[in-house]
Amino acid sequence: VVRDVELEQIDRPLLMLYCPQDRVVDIAAARAAFARWGAQEKEAVAFTPAEGETHVIAGAIRAPSGTAPLAAAIERFVARLR
């Protein structure tokens, strides 16, 4: 469905947080969509939490080691937009 969207026309900032080993999301397709995104302000951050999760990469129950680093990545991204 994303294939049908003109992502090149979207000019809103994008922060893509992902695990390269995700078994739910097709990372190659996600990276391809990211490359097509039209905004100048975009960043892709790959992260694998210590718990070995590949889809849930933050959160107190399944990936607590990912929560602080991903929150920091979000804060840095938003700070650059100001």
Side-chain angles (χ1 to χ4, degrees):
V1 181
V2 169
R3 292 175 286 252
D4 300 331
V5 176
E6 292 182 19
L7 299 176
E8 299 82 1
Q9 302 302 315
I10 299 174
D11 63 356
R12 299 294 179 238
L14 170 65
L15 174 61
M16 183 174 84
L17 304 169
Y18 69 98
C19 176
Q21 295 82 29
D22 197 317
R23 291 172 292 205
V24 175
V25 174
D26 180 342
I27 296 303
R31 300 262 327 149
F34 176 84
R36 292 178 41 216
W37 197 267
Q40 294 293 322
E41 302 86 10
K42 63 183 182 179
E43 181 180 357
V45 178
F47 184 77
T48 303
E51 293 79 19
E53 282 287 339
T54 61
H55 184 66
V56 178
I57 59 175
I61 295 173
R62 296 195 48 198
S65 71
T67 303
L70 291 181
I74 294 166
E75 289 174 352
R76 283 190 302 272
F77 183 77
V78 171
R80 287 197 317 265
L81 299 177
R82 295 181 184 168

